[in-house]
Amino acid sequence: CYLILDALQWIHGAKAYAFQKETYQKIAKNAARFWLIGLTFSLISGAYKSYHLLQRNKHAKAPRATAEKEAERRVELHQIAAETKAVRLQMLQDLCDWLNPGTSTGWLNLNDGVIGLAGGLLGTAGFLGGLTVTPKDCRAPADYSGTLAIRWGYPDPDPVTIRSLSG
């Protein structure tokens, strides 16, 4: 339903078809409600995933008997940490995103400045979530003294280097 209502808002905004003022207000309010419902369920899902990852982490922290099992445990702990980071980032984005339809529906009373700051935080969090800086990326060419590679592509195990900064 949200996508249909959002498409109707786009049609009105593009002036392809002009709805009456009352009709457009109903479309906008209902679109905000469905958007809010979707974000709320996403936050609930994130809380459930966080709880599940916490339980997996507790189980994985116990040392293993053999070296092979210990190596598997370390890999699992690394995977859990990466998944936890992704879930927390998604929850932060959903929470920032929640402010916009929350205000549109009247549940919150925020001004445009606060919503703009939340949108800026949302964009920054999304961008920074895609950046990874790792020590193995810090191999300097012979004629540079220290290079820091900034890479895009989290959680891709083989991200693409987009820029190197000389230090």
Side-chain angles (χ1 to χ4, degrees), residues 134-153:
T134 58
K136 70 179 180 180
D137 297 331
C138 298
R139 288 181 230 121
D143 49 344
Y144 290 109
S145 60
T147 299
L148 175 65
I150 299 176
R151 298 163 69 113
W152 179 264

Side-chain angles (χ1 to χ4, degrees), residues 7-20:
L8 291 174
Q9 283 183 303
W10 182 86
I11 289 169
H12 180 80
K15 301 194 186 321
Y17 182 82
F19 293 102
Q20 292 180 358

Side-chain angles (χ1 to χ4, degrees), residues 89 92-93 96 116-131 152:
L89 178 63
L92 174 65
Q93 290 173 336
C96 289
L117 285 173
L121 178 63
L122 179 69
T124 303
F127 177 75
L128 292 177
L131 290 178
W152 179 264

Side-chain angles (χ1 to χ4, degrees), residues 89-126:
L89 178 63
Q90 184 61 48
M91 288 181 70
L92 174 65
Q93 290 173 336
D94 288 342
L95 189 60
C96 289
D97 219 4
W98 204 91
L99 299 178
N100 193 347
T103 301
S104 297
T105 57
W107 285 24
L108 300 174
N109 187 19
L110 302 175
N111 63 26
D112 290 341
V114 174
I115 293 177
L117 285 173
L121 178 63
L122 179 69
T124 303

Side-chain angles (χ1 to χ4, degrees), residues 34-103:
F34 282 108
W35 184 16
L36 193 63
I37 290 168
L39 290 171
T40 301
F41 280 114
S42 181
L43 285 167
I44 291 168
S45 172
Y48 175 77
K49 287 177 186 176
S50 294
Y51 174 76
H52 180 69
L53 288 168
L54 183 65
Q55 297 304 315
R56 276 182 56 199
N57 193 38
K58 283 181 184 178
H59 178 68
K61 287 213 178 209
R64 302 296 193 267
T66 65
E68 182 181 309
K69 294 289 184 182
E70 185 64 23
E72 289 176 8
R73 180 184 77 89
R74 287 189 187 135
V75 169
E76 183 177 6
L77 285 172
H78 181 70
Q79 289 173 342
I80 291 169
E83 289 176 34
T84 300
K85 179 182 174 185
V87 168
R88 287 181 181 167
L89 178 63
Q90 184 61 48
M91 288 181 70
L92 174 65
Q93 290 173 336
D94 288 342
L95 189 60
C96 289
D97 219 4
W98 204 91
L99 299 178
N100 193 347
T103 301

